Amino acid sequence: GLKRLDTAERDGDRVYAVIRGLGTSSDGRGGAIYAPMATGQVRALRRVAAAAGYGPGEVDLVEAHGTATRAGDAAEFESLRQVFSSPGGPDKAWCALGSIKSQIGHTKAAAGAAGLVKAVLALHQRTLPPTIKVREPHPGLGIEDSPFYLNTVARPWIRRATHPRRASVSSFGFGGAN
């Protein structure tokens, strides 16, 4: 279960991961329940970075919401691209991108929790997990000109010398709740 770090350490629990930051926002009055807006998602992602105390350039894995809907994936990917692309940041294709939905389908309200579990297990097992059932990302996303690569095979997660392994979970809700 989730516990405060000091409580888990006091209780002698095994710590699989530490959540450093959370971020939320609202797109405001949306036109429809399934009409996400990248601007609200960017706001949420930037709040996460501020709360965590480190920038997106130190994240090696993004567990995306990834619903495989044209509007949802385009908005999510654009928001991730805006936040993770920065002048002077790492070169292109340095951050693994995946979604648990490729393995288990969409779990509706539990999707964020499922993505969190996958990210925590990836950190604990020091393995970048695969996204399955995808051979090529949608060409309209332009992933080749972004900080991301689609990780399609399990591979060892080699820690960068500058920081510990870090993952981020992107999970957006209905009606503009981010």
Side-chain angles (χ1 to χ4, degrees):
L2 295 176
K3 283 187 179 181
R4 293 178 50 87
L5 180 59
D6 58 348
T7 303
E9 290 173 337
R10 182 198 68 213
D11 294 347
D13 295 335
R14 177 179 292 164
V15 176
Y16 287 84
V18 176
I19 297 172
R20 294 282 181 206
L22 300 170
T24 62
S25 76
S26 173
D27 292 342
R29 293 185 183 155
I33 197 167
Y34 293 112
M37 296 174 56
T39 54
Q41 294 180 9
V42 165
R43 192 169 28 256
L45 291 166
R46 288 194 171 134
R47 287 177 177 166
V48 169
Y54 56 85
E58 295 185 31
V59 175
D60 302 311
L61 168 66
V62 170
E63 175 61 23
H65 197 56
T67 60
T69 62
R70 188 175 305 246
D73 284 358
E76 180 179 25
F77 189 74
E78 181 54 32
S79 65
L80 288 166
R81 179 197 314 268
Q82 285 182 38
V83 173
F84 279 71
S85 296
S86 62
D91 294 334
K92 290 185 182 351
W94 52 268
C95 187
L97 181 66
S99 177
I100 187 75
K101 289 169 191 67
S102 73
Q103 283 105 351
I104 64 172
H106 200 313
T107 57
K108 302 293 183 195
L116 179 63
V117 168
K118 181 180 170 189
V120 166
L121 288 173
L123 287 162
H124 177 68
Q125 295 172 355
R126 299 176 179 159
T127 301
L128 291 168
T131 290
I132 61 173
K133 302 177 191 165
V134 178
R135 294 191 207 318
E136 305 243 345
H138 189 285
L141 294 178
I143 194 169
E144 64 281 350
D145 293 319
S146 78
F148 302 103
Y149 65 94
L150 188 63
N151 195 54
T152 57
V153 296
R155 65 186 75 209
W157 188 342
I158 307 301
R159 182 183 162 297
R160 289 194 254 169
T162 56
H163 59 269
R165 289 175 191 84
R166 291 187 172 137
S168 184
V169 177
S170 169
S171 179
F172 299 112
F174 295 119
N178 301 308

